[in-house]
Amino acid sequence: MAPRNFVRPQLRPWLILLGIWLVTVFCDRVWWGLDHQVPAWDQADYLNGALNYWRALQTPDWFNSDWWREFWLLSTKIPPLNYILTALTCFADGTLTLDRATWLFAFYSGALFVAIFELGTLLFSSRVGLWAAAFCALMPGLVRYRLDYVLDFPVTAGIIVSFAVFTCLHLRTRNEKGMGGSSWLWALVWGISFGLALLIKQTAVLFLLGPMLGFLRPWRWRKLGQLLLGLFVTATLAYPWFRTNWLLVLTGSKRATIDSAIAEGDPSLLSLDAWTYYLKVLSMAIAWPIWIFVGLSLLWFAWRYRAQLKISSLKNFTYQWRWLSLFLLSGYFLSSLNINKDPRYVLPLLPIVCLVLARAWVAVCDHNSWLRRLSFVALGLTSVLWLSGSFPLGNPEIA
């Protein structure tokens, strides 16, 4: 008699996703427990900002406009959402430490995993979504900033959540006819997610501008209305802080881009290095066992099934690749257009690269049992490299 299955098939992907998140959080908390370094300047500045908001929230005056103005002025150059959320973590006993503040990153990790899983499920399948979430947990580029109290990992999670919601809106407008009531609801939800992402860091607009423009094709008044509705909700959320600090935001952005680029000797926009800088960064941010396995597998797949590859068989996947390419290419172009270069500025592109790799990973594994077995070897090796890189055990060459 066959054993009874007590887990519904619909719940299995979510249980696996929960397992990925729990393992990630456990390893991250062990790392933070072993780390006793003094926070660097940026990290200390962010902690001070969170402490300022914690003090302000001790004596709130919700109906006093002057109190709100002073509240928004506590952070004049950087949006305050991460500060506020960090401040809420220390309300239990009134203490704020780096270890406690980084617990918030467990929430960001969960939001990122759920968003990339849903994105993979919407565009491809739940298997692709799970592999993409696993890759996000293991990629050196994401791990590096998941273990650092800076804004780049939080804004990456916010951008991917907003892009996943926007993708759901995009797909619903493709399938609905007439007014499409549920798509208007998703436009509202997307506006909230975009507004929250902007309140973590302004650079969220660089990665969502391309999909917003692509959403309007083909041109329809209904799509324009949904986009405007979402942007209205976004503006409603972000307006109070930006209205209070707009002048300092502009002057601070100039110092953070032009002045910093000159001081750091970043390449000119007229040079090739300025446009290939982030290409090199992304290639190094991905674990090399995954690069090698996917690359060699695709070469084998193309040679083995060259006679069966027909353009007509790829038509069903055209819109998925166009949509992801729009996010990647527009985000890459606008980030490269910024004269100030830093590897963390393109961190939001990495989860989508993980999704593309996951789709290729699943495709090759479905066509060959040996490749399926080899994929777990590559995944195991990547996990070993992740742990040895995070916990080098006194050997810096491993890290």
Side-chain angles (χ1 to χ4, degrees):
M1 183 177 180
R4 183 177 297 178
N5 191 350
F6 291 98
V7 180
R8 294 182 179 180
Q10 299 90 336
L11 294 179
R12 289 177 189 170
W14 289 101
L15 291 176
I16 296 173
L17 188 67
L18 177 62
I20 294 173
W21 178 72
L22 290 175
V23 170
T24 301
V25 171
F26 174 78
C27 292
D28 289 352
R29 297 321 304 173
V30 171
W31 191 94
W32 282 110
L34 296 175
D35 177 60
H36 300 291
Q37 298 182 72
V38 177
W41 191 93
D42 283 343
Q43 293 84 339
D45 186 53
Y46 294 148
L47 285 172
N48 285 332
L51 189 60
N52 290 334
Y53 274 96
W54 176 77
R55 289 169 179 164
L57 289 171
Q58 298 299 303
T59 55
D61 192 356
W62 306 117
F63 302 103
N64 188 338
S65 60
D66 292 334
W67 182 86
W68 279 108
R69 185 175 183 277
E70 294 299 324
F71 185 76
W72 298 129
L73 283 173
L74 291 175
S75 176
T76 55
K77 293 182 295 184
I78 299 174
L81 182 58
N82 187 70
Y83 293 152
I84 295 172
L85 294 177
T86 303
L88 295 177
T89 64
C90 67
F91 261 95
D93 57 7
T95 59
L96 178 63
T97 63
L98 184 60
D99 285 349
R100 174 171 297 219
T102 53
W103 268 107
L104 185 60
F105 278 49
F107 165 77
Y108 291 136
S109 296
L112 175 62
F113 294 164
V114 170
I116 201 67
F117 167 73
E118 283 293 334
L119 196 57
T121 302
L122 285 170
L123 296 178
F124 304 109
S125 68
S126 59
R127 283 184 61 206
V128 174
L130 285 175
W131 279 109
F135 291 168
C136 287
L138 297 172
M139 288 303 172
L142 287 169
V143 173
R144 162 69 178 83
Y145 294 103
R146 200 174 67 220
L147 299 175
D148 198 0
Y149 187 70
V150 290
L151 294 179
D152 300 281
F153 187 77
V155 76
T156 295
I159 290 170
I160 299 304
V161 168
S162 184
F163 182 57
V165 176
F166 198 54
T167 300
C168 188
L169 170 63
H170 174 60
L171 295 179
R172 286 182 179 274
T173 56
R174 285 173 54 91
N175 300 326
E176 287 181 351
K177 297 180 180 179
M179 291 300 294
S182 64
S183 61
W184 288 90
L185 179 60
W186 279 103
L188 182 67
V189 176
W190 170 72
I192 296 173
S193 66
F194 187 27
L196 294 178
L198 283 177
L199 284 175
I200 296 176
K201 199 173 183 181
Q202 306 97 311
T203 53
V205 70
L206 298 179
F207 299 92
L208 294 170
L209 181 60
M212 281 190 284
L213 296 177
F215 175 76
L216 295 176
R217 296 190 61 189
W219 174 263
R220 292 174 185 169
W221 286 106
R222 180 167 62 92
K223 299 182 77 171
L224 177 61
Q226 291 168 349
L227 183 63
L228 292 177
L229 173 62
L231 291 176
F232 174 77
V233 175
T234 298
T236 302
L237 288 174
Y239 176 76
W241 182 83
F242 280 96
R243 176 184 177 275
T244 306
N245 299 281
W246 67 270
L247 182 59
L248 291 172
V249 170
L250 292 178
T251 56
S253 299
K254 187 260 183 183
R255 289 195 301 270
T257 55
I258 299 176
D259 295 349
S260 297
I262 294 174
E264 296 170 4
D266 289 329
S268 167
L269 291 180
L270 300 178
S271 66
L272 182 62
D273 289 340
W275 299 97
T276 59
Y277 177 87
Y278 288 127
L279 192 62
K280 302 171 186 175
V281 167
L282 290 173
S283 64
M284 292 186 293
I286 297 175
W288 60 264
I290 294 178
W291 265 132
I292 293 175
F293 174 78
V294 172
L296 294 179
S297 298
L298 286 179
L299 288 176
W300 174 86
F301 183 80
W303 176 82
R304 177 67 175 78
Y305 297 97
R306 60 189 183 279
Q308 303 175 23
L309 291 177
K310 304 292 183 181
I311 297 179
S312 59
S313 64
L314 300 177
K315 286 184 178 179
N316 292 332
F317 302 98
T318 301
Y319 79 90
Q320 291 104 316
W321 296 116
R322 279 206 308 260
W323 186 243
L324 295 178
S325 298
L326 187 60
F327 180 92
L328 290 171
L329 294 178
S330 63
Y332 186 95
F333 172 77
L334 293 175
S335 298
S336 298
L337 199 60
N338 181 0
I339 191 173
N340 186 22
K341 300 292 191 295
D342 194 288
R344 57 197 175 106
Y345 293 161
V346 290
L347 200 65
L349 297 180
L350 193 53
I352 306 303
V353 173
C354 290
L355 180 57
V356 173
L357 291 174
R359 178 66 186 96
W361 185 287
V362 171
V364 296
C365 290
D366 284 344
H367 284 79
N368 189 278
S369 59
W370 284 103
L371 287 177
R372 191 180 306 115
R373 297 187 185 96
L374 188 60
S375 70
F376 287 100
V377 175
L379 185 66
L381 184 56
T382 302
S383 302
V384 171
L385 292 176
W386 165 44
L387 293 174
S388 62
S390 300
F391 308 96
L393 301 178
N395 187 353
E397 294 181 359
I398 296 178

